[in-house]
Amino acid sequence: MSNLRFALPSTGALFDGTSKLLSDCGLSVRRANSRRYTADIPSLPGVDVLFQRQSDITIEIDGGSADIGVVGLDRYYESRLERGDTVLLHEGLGFGGSKLVIAVPDSWLDVTTMADLADVTLEFRAKGRDLRIASKYERLTKRFLNENGVNYVSIVHVSGGLEAAPVMGYADIIADITATGTTLRENGLRILVDGAVIESQSVIVGNGRALANDPEKLAHARQILEKIEASLRARKYQRVTGDIQGESEDEVGRQMMRRRELGGLDGPTISAVHTGKQSNWYTVQVLVRKTDLPDVVSHFRGLGGIGIAANDVQYVYRERCESYDRLVENLKPFMDSDG
């Protein structure tokens, strides 16, 4: 059995976001220097980290050079083999948000929808040429255009900034990735109202065949998914602790549960405070959504609570790891095909 090969983006926003996510999860990457393309995760022996260009990660995983990796959802759908071995492991890591959009020059005043664009392509066709669209996402763009009845187009491949293509004259419109649309507007381009090809964010993908046939690699992948899922879930919660006086633990529990929505994710944890005095005090802990924190504090106060404190939590685990369960389901075809 060999180590799990974990491909990470080598530069850019996805590199920064991935590094922070793994650090927050207790899976910090140890890299000798920024020029090294290999690294490890000290807290997770058996995992080799490989730094790759984001555009290459899906291809490397499909080809078996890496087992799992972090990549943008847009790049995954653009680059994966149609009948390849790559599958989604985690569908949203919470960073790298963007969308692939169709944008036309501001001067095209009558073109606001994909239906309008379809009409324009017919006009271009009548004049003897196709509409030229500059994009680095040929597969996704062509599929979206065809689905919207925009058929007479040719893709222009541009290595640099796409926004200049219409001004320079080597394309009529563009399909490009944007987070805010600011750069498009600054270059005299406008997104069609229904021109969003795909909404993207960072995801984890993996080689289904490799994971299905190597229990150790699958176990390492599960550890990574478990920590990431629990860490992302924990961002929504805080643990609130306070002391409340009452006749018994049961009585304090009933008081807390008068408002079930404020009684914590799985109900309150209550324990006696041994003060040496006759008065009965109990420490109450609840795990609640951050959005409910003001109401929870008011609820504690209404019950005479004192010493109320709220703290962030690093991980929130549930009964099962949802992303791992989905992975196991996605691996069934690879297990079946290999007997």
Side-chain angles (χ1 to χ4, degrees):
M1 299 295 180
S2 55
N3 286 359
L4 179 78
R5 295 162 298 180
F6 191 5
L8 303 181
S10 56
T11 59
L14 256 62
F15 166 79
D16 295 333
T18 303
S19 298
K20 184 179 186 308
L21 173 67
L22 293 178
S23 177
D24 290 345
C25 295
L27 298 172
S28 295
V29 175
R30 181 174 59 187
R31 189 181 188 185
N33 60 67
S34 60
R35 294 181 296 276
R36 286 285 297 271
Y37 287 92
T38 59
D40 65 352
I41 299 175
S43 64
L44 196 57
V47 175
D48 295 332
V49 174
L50 312 173
F51 287 99
Q52 302 280 323
R53 292 188 306 176
Q54 191 210 162
S55 58
D56 294 337
I57 289 178
T58 301
I59 298 171
E60 295 288 342
I61 292 174
D62 250 325
S65 299
D67 300 308
I68 68 172
V70 175
V71 68
L73 184 65
D74 54 340
R75 183 56 63 183
Y76 166 64
Y77 281 128
E78 177 68 21
S79 303
R80 68 173 179 164
L81 296 175
E82 287 291 352
R83 298 183 182 276
D85 294 337
T86 305
V87 296
L88 270 173
L89 274 66
H90 196 292
E91 299 180 352
L93 300 177
F95 61 89
S98 62
K99 55 186 176 180
L100 176 62
V101 298
I102 307 296
V104 302
D106 284 333
S107 58
W108 291 24
L109 299 177
D110 296 331
V111 181
T112 60
T113 68
M114 292 300 297
D116 295 334
L117 187 62
D119 292 339
V120 170
T121 61
L122 294 176
E123 295 174 9
F124 274 64
R125 189 70 169 178
K127 295 177 182 178
R129 76 174 180 90
D130 288 343
L131 179 78
R132 299 165 303 167
I133 178 167
S135 181
K136 299 175 183 177
Y137 292 81
E138 180 175 355
R139 176 196 279 179
L140 289 173
T141 300
K142 276 191 172 181
R143 182 179 299 160
F144 182 74
L145 293 174
N146 290 338
E147 290 172 352
N148 284 273
V150 183
N151 299 312
Y152 303 113
V153 299
S154 60
I155 302 291
V156 178
H157 296 280
V158 181
S159 59
L162 298 178
E163 297 85 0
V167 175
M168 298 296 290
Y170 49 81
D172 303 299
I173 65 174
I174 72 170
D176 198 12
I177 289 290
T178 182
T180 63
T182 302
T183 303
L184 294 175
R185 290 191 295 271
E186 289 177 347
N187 284 274
L189 296 168
R190 172 171 38 84
I191 301 172
L192 297 182
V193 294
D194 55 350
V197 179
I198 183 175
E199 292 195 8
S200 179
Q201 63 171 305
S202 53
V203 299
I204 300 179
V205 299
N207 185 297
R209 193 170 304 280
L211 296 175
N213 293 283
D214 192 323
E216 288 189 19
K217 287 184 177 181
L218 183 58
H220 288 313
R222 178 175 189 168
Q223 287 180 283
I224 292 170
L225 291 175
E226 287 266 18
K227 280 208 162 186
I228 288 176
E229 184 175 298
S231 178
L232 291 177
R233 184 183 295 114
R235 294 178 182 180
K236 303 175 183 178
Y237 292 92
Q238 284 190 311
R239 187 176 303 281
V240 181
T241 304
D243 292 340
I244 295 176
Q245 193 173 24
E247 294 298 323
S248 66
E249 292 183 10
D250 288 342
E251 191 268 334
V252 171
R254 286 193 295 271
Q255 293 285 343
M256 285 295 301
M257 296 299 288
R258 283 182 178 177
R259 296 186 60 182
R260 179 63 189 87
E261 73 278 12
L262 304 181
L265 186 62
D266 295 308
T269 299
I270 303 171
S271 58
V273 178
H274 299 282
T275 62
K277 301 177 182 179
Q278 290 188 347
S279 56
N280 296 326
W281 284 91
Y282 297 91
T283 295
V284 179
Q285 292 188 40
V286 289
L287 187 65
V288 298
R289 290 186 176 274
K290 289 182 178 180
T291 52
D292 291 332
L293 183 59
D295 290 338
V296 173
V297 172
S298 295
H299 187 40
F300 265 79
R301 286 172 173 165
L303 298 177
I306 60 174
I308 303 167
N311 302 100
D312 290 335
V313 292
Q314 187 173 5
Y315 304 108
V316 175
Y317 291 95
R318 301 302 291 156
E319 292 81 5
R320 304 185 65 86
C321 177
E322 295 175 3
S323 55
Y324 179 73
D325 287 347
R326 284 195 299 269
L327 170 60
V328 171
E329 190 67 26
N330 289 336
L331 293 186
K332 286 183 178 179
F334 301 101
M335 294 175 177
D336 293 341
S337 65
D338 289 325

